[in-house]
Amino acid sequence: MAAEIENGKTLSPEQIAEAEKYKNEANEYFKNKVYEKAIEFYSKAIEIDSSNAVYYANRSLANLRTELFGYALNDAVSAVKSDPSYLKAYYRRAAAHMSLGKFKLALSDFEVVSKRRPNDADAKKKFVECNKIVKKMAFERAINVDRPEKTLAEMYQSLESISIEDDYTGPKLSNEETVTLEFMKELMQWYKDQKKLHKKYAYKILYDIDAYLRKQPSLVDIAIPDEGKFTVCGDIHGQFYDLLNIFEKNGLPSETNPYLFNGDFVDRGSFSVECIFLLFGFKLLFPNHFYLSRGNHESINMNQMYGFTGEVTAKYSSTMADMFTQVYNFLPLCHLLNNKVLVMHGGLFSSDEVTLDDLRNVERNRQPPEEGIMCELLWSDPQPQNGRSPSKRGVGCQFGPDVTENFLKKNNLEYVIRSHEVKDMGYEVAHNGKCITVFSAPNYCDTMGNKGAYIILKGKDMKPQYEVYEAVPHPNVKPMMYANSLMNLIM
């Protein structure tokens, strides 16, 4: 049977068969979690038959799995347009909207499906779950209007008198004491043995790090001595045992072994609590030799969807989850190394006029906006071609080699380091060596098969050296275990 395509031409049986062949090959890649190849073959099918809703819906899901939320949304919209009766297309559009924190739009798609299939228990369940999220968010907004938000210090005042049970044998701090190296070593082993830091000390670390971060600028200047070593790590995403492996390979943080972790410490991986307390602890121990940049996942929408909020609530309390939201708002947005190298989580900007002073002046105490400098620092990605393009993620922008070159020239810089994207070798050098990506979560989500990497710099020449490593075993706790239940249903 022939099929009509958008330009009015009729596809031959051979063309239909070829498109289906590409789709079936893509399906196999998808089953084997080789998502980039799946996207490639779905695209080949779409090139032949651009009116097939199934091809768009399938590619939408593959784009979701690789966090290309903008592309996923575009594909879902195309699927709905191609066949408004194809209900899976509405699920895909809902998933893309949820990934972007647009829960009301997701709810309208679930409503379409539940109305068309009133007896479908699965459709009803998804509608009900999404409706709960929307109502909860509306309720929280309403009570926040009527009730002044407590500062983290005020929250902590009611918690610092917590007693320590007699049977607790883990790491301890006195009320007056900040973290020590001995405490940090004990904590690493305690977490490695899958035990929980007592809530009294967890709350204290949060209180202390909040007090410190509030005094920091949005852009932090770092001086690296000529003979000094400096390590830059990318996304960790709750992969605690891989974080320990970095310290095993590269040495513990110290005044002679400084680190910068470049955002996305949490979410997806189910040991995010362990990761963040370890990182915050080392920041308190070595404030001038251990640095943390905010990533796009240090935000409330991402945390609610991808697991961190659920994990904190399960291991501690919803109050602590609220505390983290406040702390994340004060994380610096970028770091300048030896006045030569700018490090940020996402990337560059939709304007050629952005200067380092603009970055210093960003008001960061907020949730990431959907546009502007702060948004782009957290969300943007490089592209191989010159110019700029709409973001494949639906937030931020994509920027080409010319954009990077112009920014570096304007600000008298040598290159930029960013993270934010999975890379097969854990790193990628782009834009004529001027834009480097580093990603430090190997075998991301236990599915991607990528290596992890970190970058070592020496102050005298700032030439990057790349250390690549494989994932290490971890306890049988699956990624996304604490993610929003609806996200697991539709992904």
Side-chain angles (χ1 to χ4, degrees):
M1 182 181 291
E4 296 294 329
I5 59 176
E6 289 178 356
N7 62 9
K9 294 181 181 179
T10 303
L11 291 175
S12 68
E14 291 77 16
Q15 288 174 309
I16 295 171
E18 186 179 11
E20 281 293 297
K21 175 176 173 288
Y22 284 134
K23 182 202 76 173
N24 292 334
E25 289 182 67
N27 287 348
E28 285 302 309
Y29 280 120
F30 186 91
K31 288 176 185 176
N32 292 316
K33 300 177 181 178
V34 186
Y35 299 121
E36 289 185 359
K37 293 295 288 186
I39 291 168
E40 177 186 336
F41 278 81
Y42 287 133
S43 298
K44 289 181 178 182
I46 289 169
E47 285 175 13
I48 297 170
D49 184 356
S50 61
S51 65
N52 192 307
V54 174
Y55 301 165
Y56 286 113
N58 287 4
R59 190 172 70 177
S60 177
L61 185 57
N63 278 318
L64 281 169
R65 292 289 172 86
T66 52
E67 302 186 10
L68 305 182
F69 306 135
Y71 287 176
L73 180 58
N74 290 340
D75 279 340
V77 169
S78 295
V80 171
K81 182 179 178 182
S82 295
D83 185 358
S85 67
Y86 184 50
L87 296 184
K88 191 172 285 187
Y90 295 91
Y91 281 141
R92 298 290 176 261
R93 191 165 68 179
H97 281 314
M98 288 188 66
S99 298
L100 293 165
K102 300 181 185 297
F103 301 106
K104 283 188 177 180
L105 292 173
L107 181 62
S108 67
D109 281 327
F110 287 131
E111 186 175 18
V112 168
V113 178
S114 63
K115 283 183 177 178
R116 292 189 185 179
R117 287 184 177 172
N119 298 320
D120 187 328
D122 181 63
K124 184 177 180 180
K125 181 178 181 180
K126 289 169 181 171
F127 173 74
V128 169
E129 288 297 314
C130 190
N131 197 29
K132 285 181 183 176
I133 295 172
V134 172
K135 286 184 175 179
K136 180 183 177 185
M137 292 175 67
F139 175 73
E140 288 172 348
R141 283 194 300 270
I143 62 174
N144 284 337
V145 170
D146 298 329
R147 183 182 66 192
E149 184 177 355
K150 283 187 176 181
T151 66
L152 192 142
E154 289 170 333
M155 292 184 199
Y156 179 66
Q157 284 173 5
S158 63
L159 298 167
E160 59 183 335
S161 61
I162 294 171
S163 60
I164 308 296
E165 296 81 2
D166 292 339
D167 60 353
Y168 177 74
T169 59
K172 295 180 180 180
L173 295 168
S174 71
N175 284 342
E176 298 77 26
E177 184 183 28
T178 187
V179 298
T180 63
L181 183 57
E182 181 183 5
F183 174 88
M184 293 305 299
K185 289 180 177 179
E186 281 187 52
L187 183 62
M188 284 189 288
Q189 187 59 52
W190 192 250
Y191 279 157
K192 192 173 182 180
D193 295 339
Q194 300 184 68
K195 297 178 181 179
K196 188 172 74 172
L197 178 66
H198 195 281
K199 58 187 175 183
K200 182 180 180 72
Y201 308 126
Y203 283 126
K204 178 171 172 51
I205 288 174
L206 273 180
Y207 171 75
D208 288 346
I209 198 72
D210 178 71
Y212 179 86
L213 291 177
R214 285 173 181 268
K215 301 173 185 176
Q216 298 305 295
S218 292
L219 186 158
V220 175
D221 291 276
I222 301 174
I224 306 170
D226 283 352
E227 298 305 317
K229 167 191 171 185
F230 191 87
T231 302
V232 181
C233 299
D235 304 42
I236 296 298
H237 274 300
Q239 297 186 196
F240 175 73
Y241 293 84
D242 293 306
L243 174 58
L244 290 184
N245 187 44
I246 293 173
F247 293 148
E248 179 72 25
K249 292 173 61 64
N250 194 52
L252 285 178
S254 71
E255 293 180 353
T256 57
N257 193 28
Y259 282 84
L260 165 57
F261 282 83
N262 197 27
D264 282 13
F265 321 120
V266 301
D267 278 339
R268 294 194 178 270
S270 295
F271 301 96
S272 292
V273 164
E274 290 80 0
C275 284
I276 196 63
F277 278 121
L278 195 63
L279 295 173
F280 279 173
F282 276 121
K283 179 61 181 172
L284 292 171
L285 182 59
F286 300 113
N288 298 316
H289 299 88
F290 193 86
Y291 301 92
L292 302 170
S293 285
R294 189 175 187 175
N296 64 300
H297 276 265
E298 279 69 59
S299 65
I300 193 166
N301 277 349
M302 293 293 105
N303 293 168
Q304 287 176 340
M305 293 308 304
Y306 292 100
F308 184 63
T309 297
E311 183 180 343
V312 174
T313 302
K315 293 179 178 178
Y316 289 102
S317 68
S318 60
T319 296
M320 183 179 285
D322 292 339
M323 291 172 128
F324 271 109
T325 297
Q326 289 196 35
V327 170
Y328 288 160
N329 281 354
F330 285 99
L331 282 166
L333 301 177
C334 48
H335 292 75
L336 181 60
L337 313 182
N338 279 5
N339 293 311
K340 294 180 179 180
V341 180
L342 184 68
V343 186
M344 79 293 283
H345 179 73
L348 298 182
F349 313 101
S350 53
S351 167
D352 285 326
E353 302 306 313
V354 176
T355 66
L356 295 179
D357 283 341
D358 292 326
L359 305 186
R360 297 183 201 280
N361 293 327
V362 171
E363 172 49 59
R364 71 186 189 279
N365 179 22
R366 54 179 169 157
Q367 288 302 297
E370 293 191 5
E371 59 184 13
I373 289 175
M374 181 174 172
C375 167
E376 289 161 355
L377 280 169
L378 301 182
W379 279 96
S380 290
D381 295 289
Q383 64 181 22
Q385 70 273 22
N386 281 340
R388 295 180 175 88
S389 302
S391 171
K392 59 191 178 184
R393 300 175 189 268
V395 188
C397 71
Q398 292 179 208
F399 58 96
D402 57 330
V403 175
T404 300
E405 186 65 37
N406 290 338
F407 177 80
L408 296 175
K409 185 176 181 181
K410 184 177 184 68
N411 291 284
N412 195 29
L413 300 172
E414 294 184 2
Y415 60 92
V416 297
I417 297 175
R418 42 88 63 181
S419 301
H420 196 39
E421 290 183 284
V422 182
K423 297 298 177 184
D424 286 343
M425 291 301 295
Y427 74 96
E428 182 179 78
V429 181
H431 294 183
N432 304 310
K434 303 296 186 182
C435 181
I436 299 169
T437 298
V438 59
F439 191 86
S440 301
N443 194 25
Y444 181 45
C445 292
D446 288 356
T447 61
M448 300 300 287
N450 61 291
K451 293 180 172 63
Y454 52 84
I455 299 172
I456 295 176
L457 304 170
K458 292 293 181 66
K460 60 184 176 183
D461 59 16
M462 298 298 286
K463 183 178 179 180
Q465 300 174 16
Y466 306 99
E467 296 291 331
V468 177
Y469 52 92
E470 301 277 357
V472 297
H474 64 76
N476 188 25
V477 181
K478 294 180 180 179
M480 299 284 283
M481 176 177 169
Y482 300 97
N484 183 280
S485 58
L486 182 55
M487 207 66 196
N488 284 322
L489 284 173
I490 59 180
M491 291 281 279

